[in-house]
Amino acid sequence: MIEKKPVKLALAWLVPAVGAAIFVTIQCFSYLNDYVRSGGMMQAITFGPAALWGVSIFYGAWVVPPLLALAGRRASDWAMLALGGLLFTMSTLAGVSDGLRDGGHLVALELLAVTLPGAVALIMSWRHIRSN
């Protein structure tokens, strides 16, 4: 039988991962909407290959904390907490700064979709480590 605690922890880390994907999608559409509304007068944002790889690796790394939660080992629990905390912090800071630049609705979305569930997942992870 599968233990429920690691599965719940993995699901807790999947929620901010999905929230981060939703946030970046809405952020892209929000920018595209502003670009079209301006009649193409805004400066287009361009990304080089290194930036595209960096963004892909960053958002792809959100899959690692849930996988580490399922491993159920002491070292993987600490790695989950460290990596998840880093992703949570970086996403919150980047999302809020992008939201302040691009619109307040993006700040609210970041706080609701990534920061709140990320804080819950961090608390659950810390409690899981302390209980073992």
Side-chain angles (χ1 to χ4, degrees):
M1 186 169 158
I2 297 174
E3 290 183 44
K4 289 186 179 181
K5 196 133 188 152
V7 173
K8 286 182 181 179
L9 199 53
L11 288 174
W13 278 110
L14 279 175
V15 173
V18 170
I22 290 170
F23 170 76
V24 77
T25 303
I26 291 176
Q27 182 184 17
C28 289
F29 282 121
S30 178
Y31 174 79
L32 183 62
N33 186 37
D34 289 343
Y35 183 76
V36 169
R37 188 180 314 140
S38 73
M41 301 305 286
M42 288 176 51
Q43 184 178 357
I45 296 177
T46 57
F47 294 102
L52 288 176
W53 274 107
V55 168
S56 299
I57 289 169
F58 177 75
Y59 284 104
W62 271 104
V63 178
V64 178
L67 294 175
L68 289 171
L70 292 175
R73 307 226 193 271
R74 185 106 171 123
S76 65
D77 288 345
W78 281 103
M80 167 194 60
L81 182 66
L83 180 62
L86 180 68
L87 288 169
F88 161 78
T89 304
M90 289 175 58
S91 289
T92 299
L93 293 175
V96 168
S97 68
D98 286 347
L100 291 175
R101 181 191 66 215
D102 297 337
H105 65 286
L106 292 175
V107 174
L109 177 64
E110 169 65 31
L111 295 176
L112 185 64
V114 182
T115 303
L116 181 62
V120 170
L122 275 174
I123 292 168
M124 286 179 66
S125 298
W126 180 248
R127 288 182 179 173
H128 173 75
I129 289 172
R130 287 189 55 192
S131 70
N132 290 336

